[in-house]
Amino acid sequence: MKHAGKVFFLLAPAWLTGCPRQELSLPRQQGYVQGQWSPTQQGTAPTQSQWSPTPQGTTPPPAYTPPGQWIPPAPSAPAPAPWWQPQPGAFPLPFPFPSQGQAPQLPPIPTPFTPDLGQRCVNIVNDYRASQRLPPLQRWWQSETCAGGQARDAAASGQPHGSFGRCAEQGQNVCPAWAGPADRMIAPCIQSMWNEGPGADFAQHGHYINLSSARFTRVSCGFYTAPTGQVWLVQDFQ
């Protein structure tokens, strides 16, 4: 058909033109069964016509979660305890485990034992003086031989202070005829002197006065063991 110099084409349906009819069909998904639920596109909810009950014994489909909805995370297992902390039910430790911020309690350290009798004697004297915040006395090496002679003569005469002043000492304490051996009688002898305590009566408190005197700066200790096993100890102060 021509009109005003232009050509127009008219389209007619196929049944009018006598052309054979063709049907369009969608390709079936692999594994799809009529009446069974199939996954929908992401972000769309399944409609009533698309859902059918799941046969018994099959895994149900995952729960639908609308886009943008927050899902709380699954609770995680508690973190394991540090390796330095004892685990519940573990074998007991051979020592008490201190808690945080707490130091283990240790027993007091006694005066270390030394086979040197003269030094051990001086150490014990200074331990008692330290309890009264008094300065320690120095070991008077030069007078130890003289002090030992005084202890021997005292044992022979039975007079504890029979040779006082011979070694140029200004004070003297004597432990007469104590049960030996010498390394075991030093501490209890000096303790008995310290237990006299302070006082004005020198006859009752003289040993304590000499041990705690601030005017002395050194001390020597002399020992003598009698044939009977008894030990005499002389302390000379200067």
Side-chain angles (χ1 to χ4, degrees), residues 114-130:
T114 172
D116 187 345
L117 299 180
Q119 187 61 53
R120 179 167 176 79
C121 177
V122 174
N123 291 345
I124 296 176
V125 170
N126 286 332
D127 286 344
Y128 284 109
R129 289 175 64 88

Side-chain angles (χ1 to χ4, degrees), residues 150-167:
Q150 288 178 314
R152 181 198 58 215
D153 295 345
S157 63
Q159 299 294 325
H161 299 282
S163 58
F164 176 70
R166 180 195 303 174
C167 302

